[in-house]
Amino acid sequence: MPVLSFKYERLNNFLEKKLCKEEILEIIPLLGLNIEDFNDEEIKVEYSPNRPDYGSPAGIAKAINHFYFNKEPSIEVQIDKSEYIVHVDRRVEEIRPYVVGLYARLQFSEQTLKELISLQEDLHEGIGRKRKKFAIGLHDASRIRPPIYYTVEGPDFKFVPLYHNTQKSILEILSQTEQGKLYGHLLAKKNVFPILKDSLNQVLSFPPIINGNVTALSEKTKELFVDITACELEPAEDALSILAATLLDYGAKIYSVEINFYDKKLETPNLSPRKMLLTKDSIRKILGISLKTNEVINIFKKVNMRARAVKDGKEIEVIVPRHRIDILHEVDLIEEVGYGFGYNKLRPLPLKLHQNGKPLRNKKIFEDIRNCLIGLGFIEVMTFYLANKEEQDLFAEHLIEVAEPKTKEYNVLRSAIMPQLLKVLSSNIHEPYPQKVFEIGRIFELKGRSIIKEKVKVAGLISHTDTSFTEVKSVVNALLNYLGTKNYTFKAYTHPYFIDGRCAILIQNNRKIGLLGEILPYYIQKEGLRHPVSGFEISLEK
């Protein structure tokens, strides 16, 4: 979750009336923001990535002005057309086909500059998915000579990247600069690369990697050009509307930019509000409060939206500002009603059905297993459901793989718990021996081609110099006897995870319900362990 730090005085610069520290601390949570930390001068606020309009002190102040000072909603924005035109080369179609932009006049300060760059990075990390969905360029427009060309260049093309003094080729930027190493994968396997240039061939940006140094911002900047490049048009327009709203909060004058694609023209930013409908009955069902139509209309004013009754008062039409990209459904509007009404004012409804609760039967069994193993000297641990494919391959014919995993360490849903427990032991090699750990948890199996079945198992590992099959078998016997389990037997078994001749399966009513034995030295040494390990894993489904 992104965190924004600002001084109380900075917030007060944008408020209709000044608030003291105590008032600010009281009202911030009512807006749906979390206070991370605060002192006498400064506050740290955590906001949802779905509310990037809260990514600046000016944005939070705007919400307070509507919520606390009853400022009239500011939804419709009239913007004039600028002289800026962007011509889009058809060759970018296969790389990053869309670009949008705006021009603004704004008196920058050092603080404003820091806050805008912070918002830019929060947008990149959040709804921009680390620049995969879109990339934002902020430029000092006084150094730009329009029109602007969104085109492509080869790997040897050179320009001076942001905060550098000498020219570098595109390949050098990708391989040598920090930004190139972080985001170069977004342009992998490309022979040409997207470039934004003006009529003087000055490079504004090499998206989504880095800007050109010629248009670097400073506290002396008075004219701003914003470009956003993307693989899809809608996310780019969403991000631009958020930046436009933020610039307006800072007091900027905004102008539109003409985008000439090879097959169409656009005027950006698009700040047209949306219309949505909801009913008072839906509000009552979800929030449990009955409100009159005029009360609902006044509540929407507090969250910077306009509303009016339609269809003879049966429905309410709400005008939603363009930058509120989090409003997608009637339920989202009802959430806003909750904020405007005050969630702190809601009262819980009495239960209509009075019954005494009791634990689920399987929870009782889990507790018995837990008590038994703790009594036998085991320590309970909890490991991840995600695991490494190489370590899980031995326990399932078909593993459930994760699409686009962020790391090879966690790329499948686990089919066995023991390999996870072995990693726990490898993290505790300096602790005293013997070591005994267990876990009661879920594993995942693939049935057919698309059905995922969850099962609950208990697994345990023992590690010390003299651990053996006999020891782990005695633990399993003790556990099953403690649970009152009958009609079970052990049968010799061969499994690639265990030493031959020191492995068995557990059978009950002609069904295999468990596996136990001494783990092969290969897997023990692979995890850096210094002592033998024996283990068991038992299904608890039956």
Side-chain angles (χ1 to χ4, degrees):
M1 299 281 275
V3 175
L4 178 68
S5 299
F6 55 88
K7 293 183 177 181
Y8 306 114
E9 190 58 37
R10 178 64 174 168
L11 185 71
N12 274 316
N13 288 341
F14 301 103
L15 293 177
E16 296 284 301
K17 297 178 184 177
K18 287 197 173 185
L19 296 175
C20 67
K21 181 188 82 173
E22 289 71 22
E23 289 173 317
I24 292 172
L25 294 175
E26 181 182 350
I27 198 171
I28 287 289
L30 301 181
L31 302 176
L33 298 164
N34 295 322
I35 298 174
E36 283 279 297
D37 195 11
F38 67 91
N39 55 37
D40 289 338
E41 293 185 355
E42 192 175 46
I43 182 173
K44 288 185 178 180
V45 173
E46 181 185 67
Y47 66 93
S48 168
N50 290 332
R51 290 298 307 270
D53 54 306
Y54 281 159
S56 71
I60 294 175
K62 178 172 68 175
I64 294 175
N65 285 333
H66 293 297
F67 184 86
Y68 201 72
F69 297 120
N70 299 316
K71 185 179 178 181
E72 283 296 309
S74 52
I75 299 173
E76 293 85 2
V77 180
Q78 299 297 325
I79 55 176
D80 297 325
K81 187 174 180 179
S82 74
E83 63 178 6
Y84 280 75
I85 299 174
V86 180
H87 297 287
V88 181
D89 189 325
R90 189 163 197 148
R91 289 177 293 173
V92 300
E93 189 173 11
E94 299 300 321
I95 310 170
R96 210 170 180 87
Y98 295 103
V99 61
V100 295
L102 66 80
Y103 169 77
R105 288 178 179 164
L106 172 67
Q107 185 60 56
F108 270 77
S109 66
E110 183 180 354
Q111 192 61 38
T112 304
L113 182 59
K114 286 180 179 178
E115 289 165 1
L116 275 178
I117 291 174
S118 174
L119 175 62
Q120 176 192 25
E121 289 309 309
D122 285 347
L123 287 170
H124 279 155
E125 292 297 305
I127 61 174
R129 299 293 187 269
K130 298 185 183 296
R131 305 193 186 185
K132 184 177 181 180
K133 297 189 77 170
F134 60 76
I136 303 167
L138 304 177
H139 309 277
D140 187 331
S142 65
R143 302 183 182 183
I144 299 173
R145 295 294 175 266
I148 295 167
Y149 299 90
Y150 183 39
T151 184
V152 297
E153 295 289 351
D156 296 325
F157 177 76
K158 291 186 176 183
F159 68 96
V160 181
L162 187 64
Y163 304 135
H164 286 73
N165 298 319
T166 57
Q167 288 192 343
K168 290 184 181 292
S169 70
I170 285 177
L171 282 183
E172 288 172 332
I173 290 170
L174 293 174
S175 61
Q176 296 176 13
T177 67
E178 182 183 352
Q179 299 297 89
K181 293 173 184 177
L182 280 173
Y183 304 110
H185 66 279
L186 298 174
L187 297 175
K189 300 179 181 178
K190 304 295 183 185
N191 297 319
V192 290
F193 302 90
I195 291 289
L196 272 164
K197 299 190 290 187
D198 69 0
S199 60
L200 300 179
N201 278 327
Q202 297 179 117
V203 173
L204 279 60
S205 176
F206 166 30
I209 310 300
I210 197 167
N211 281 355
N213 197 55
V214 69
T215 59
L217 296 178
S218 73
E219 59 269 21
K220 297 180 180 178
T221 298
K222 294 181 180 179
E223 299 175 67
L224 180 70
F225 176 73
V226 178
D227 76 80
I228 300 182
T229 57
C231 297
E232 297 178 21
L233 183 59
E234 186 176 359
E237 290 190 317
D238 288 345
L240 191 64
S241 70
I242 293 161
L243 281 168
T246 302
L247 289 169
L248 289 169
D249 295 339
Y250 279 112
K253 174 69 174 173
I254 288 179
Y255 301 84
S256 67
V257 170
E258 181 182 308
I259 312 292
N260 285 333
F261 291 96
Y262 35 87
D263 57 353
K264 61 184 175 184
K265 281 186 180 181
L266 282 182
E267 289 283 336
T268 65
N270 173 18
L271 300 181
S272 301
R274 295 171 290 133
K275 294 180 180 179
M276 296 178 67
L277 296 174
L278 83 158
T279 64
K280 290 186 292 182
D281 192 50
S282 297
I283 297 172
R284 182 185 57 79
K285 285 179 180 178
I286 292 179
L287 295 180
I289 54 176
S290 295
L291 298 170
K292 296 178 181 178
T293 301
N294 64 322
E295 289 177 320
V296 176
I297 291 171
N298 288 329
I299 282 172
F300 274 113
K301 286 182 180 179
K302 296 181 71 173
V303 293
N304 193 27
M305 297 183 196
R306 285 201 181 96
R308 67 186 182 96
V310 294
K311 296 185 179 179
D312 298 327
K314 293 180 180 178
E315 292 185 336
I316 297 171
E317 181 185 76
V318 183
I319 311 298
V320 182
R322 176 64 180 85
H323 69 273
R324 288 299 305 275
I325 62 173
D326 57 308
I327 307 293
L328 303 173
H329 188 272
E330 183 186 51
V331 171
D332 299 317
L333 291 175
I334 295 170
E335 182 183 18
E336 294 301 306
V337 172
Y339 283 121
F341 179 81
Y343 282 105
N344 56 322
K345 296 178 183 177
L346 296 180
R347 296 292 176 261
L349 297 174
L351 291 174
K352 294 181 179 180
L353 183 63
H354 295 281
Q355 288 184 332
N356 293 326
K358 61 180 180 180
L360 294 172
R361 181 173 175 271
N362 59 356
K363 298 295 182 184
K364 175 67 169 64
I365 295 170
F366 298 163
E367 194 60 32
D368 287 343
I369 294 170
R370 192 172 283 115
N371 290 336
C372 178
L373 290 174
I374 290 173
L376 292 170
F378 283 74
I379 296 173
E380 185 175 15
V381 300
M382 295 176 67
T383 60
F384 297 124
Y385 289 165
L386 289 176
N388 179 263
K389 182 179 180 180
E390 185 181 339
E391 295 164 358
Q392 295 285 324
D393 258 338
L394 303 176
F395 294 90
E397 187 175 346
H398 300 291
L399 291 169
I400 302 158
E401 297 192 32
V402 178
E404 299 183 16
K406 299 299 181 186
T407 169
K408 292 180 180 179
E409 188 70 20
Y410 304 108
N411 52 10
V412 295
L413 288 175
R414 69 181 181 187
S415 59
I417 301 175
M418 278 190 287
Q420 306 282 82
L421 294 182
L422 202 63
K423 285 190 171 296
V424 173
L425 293 181
S426 73
S427 300
N428 291 276
I429 56 176
H430 301 296
E431 297 299 321
Y433 285 84
Q435 292 184 9
K436 300 179 180 181
V437 294
F438 80 96
E439 179 178 358
I440 302 170
R442 298 180 185 276
I443 60 98
F444 304 85
E445 294 180 352
L446 189 63
K447 297 294 183 183
R449 298 185 66 179
S450 60
I451 300 173
I452 297 175
K453 186 174 178 61
E454 297 182 17
K455 289 185 177 180
V456 181
K457 288 188 172 184
V458 58
L461 293 184
I462 305 167
S463 179
H464 59 85
T465 306
D466 301 317
T467 190
S468 63
F469 175 81
T470 303
E471 183 181 17
V472 73
K473 181 182 175 184
S474 67
V475 168
V476 173
N477 268 321
L479 176 60
L480 296 175
N481 289 334
Y482 184 83
L483 297 175
T485 307
K486 299 177 181 179
N487 303 321
Y488 68 87
T489 58
F490 297 93
K491 182 179 179 181
Y493 191 69
T494 300
H495 190 282
Y497 200 65
F498 297 95
I499 299 172
D500 278 345
R502 301 182 191 180
C503 174
I505 53 173
L506 180 62
I507 298 173
Q508 183 190 35
N509 299 327
N510 297 319
R511 290 177 65 254
K512 174 187 170 184
I513 65 167
L515 179 67
L516 63 151
E518 295 181 34
I519 295 175
L520 272 173
Y522 170 78
Y523 298 106
I524 296 170
Q525 293 166 7
K526 187 178 178 183
E527 295 294 343
L529 294 166
R530 303 167 182 175
H531 299 288
V533 181
S534 60
F536 68 90
E537 190 157 327
I538 303 171
S539 173
L540 302 177
E541 294 299 300
K542 299 295 181 181

